[in-house]
């Protein structure tokens, strides 16, 4: 089994806020991440695909194809957007890294042909990242 990874970056804003809860509880849970007008991050996304090299090409997946799919399905939808308001597949979720990674997985999982989606790794800051494996 070979694992191959494509890295992409995007910039987006978000606000961590649960509308079911009181202002006080939101502040307690999310502190300054609940600021009404949001704040931004420079995200790093790593998509890892697993498979065996194909006989004809020697590729698990053509990296250019993988790049094009990630950019079309994910990056173009989130780059320079407000994740709470602008992204259809993040509607009604709190846009934590955890939830963004899960949503990215659900968007990508059926779009890779024979290659198998292995993980979505999302880095929100230099020190914080999450990884989702379905
Ligand atoms: Ni944040």
């Amino acid at each position: 089994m070979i694992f191959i990874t494509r890295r992409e970056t995007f910039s987006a804003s978000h606000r961590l806020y649960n509308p079911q809860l009181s202002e006080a509880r939101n502040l307690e849970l999310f502190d300054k991440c609940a600021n009404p007008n949001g704040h931004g991050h420079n995200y790093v996304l790593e998509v890892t695909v697993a498979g065996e090299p194909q006989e004809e090409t020697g590729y698990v997946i053509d990296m250019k194809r993988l790049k094009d799919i990630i950019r079309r399905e994910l990056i173009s939808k989130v780059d320079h957007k407000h994740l709470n308001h602008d992204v259809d597949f993040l509607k009604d979720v709190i846009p934590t890294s955890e939830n963004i990674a899960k949503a990215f997985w659900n968007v990508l999982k059926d779009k890779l042909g024979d290659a198998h989606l292995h993980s979505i790794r999302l880095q929100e800051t230099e020190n914080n990242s999450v990884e989702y494996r379905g």
Side-chain angles (χ1 to χ4, degrees):
M1 183 76 78
I2 308 247
F3 298 90
I4 62 171
T5 300
R6 174 71 194 180
R7 177 182 181 276
E8 294 285 340
T9 61
F10 63 96
S11 300
S13 52
H14 72 169
R15 180 191 189 201
L16 302 186
Y17 184 84
N18 184 337
Q20 323 264 42
L21 303 175
S22 68
E23 293 295 318
R25 182 66 178 144
N26 270 289
L27 258 184
E28 193 183 311
L29 288 172
F30 300 117
D31 194 39
K32 61 187 180 180
C33 295
N35 280 346
N37 294 327
H39 61 275
H41 293 285
N42 294 315
Y43 289 94
V44 179
L45 169 66
E46 287 178 358
V47 175
T48 299
V49 165
E52 289 293 337
Q54 289 162 10
E55 183 111 4
E56 191 182 15
T57 59
Y59 291 151
V60 173
I61 186 171
D62 182 340
M63 275 293 201
K64 176 170 187 316
R65 200 176 135 241
L66 181 58
K67 174 186 82 176
D68 290 346
I69 293 168
I70 296 168
R71 288 190 177 175
R72 184 180 67 237
E73 301 293 336
L74 299 178
I75 303 300
S76 69
K77 311 261 173 77
V78 295
D79 190 33
H80 288 73
K81 298 290 170 61
H82 196 303
L83 302 178
N84 299 68
H85 304 295
D86 300 332
V87 183
D88 55 356
F89 60 76
L90 291 174
K91 218 169 163 3
D92 302 322
V93 302
I94 304 169
T96 57
S97 294
E98 291 90 328
N99 281 337
I100 300 166
K102 286 181 78 171
F104 280 5
W105 174 281
N106 288 330
V107 169
L108 272 194
K109 67 176 194 291
D110 300 324
K111 303 208 163 70
L112 298 171
D114 291 339
H116 168 77
L117 182 58
H118 174 71
S119 65
I120 299 278
R121 185 168 176 278
L122 187 66
Q123 181 183 308
E124 190 177 80
T125 69
E126 226 168 278
N127 296 321
N128 298 336
S129 63
V130 305
E131 185 167 325
Y132 186 61
R133 294 184 185 167

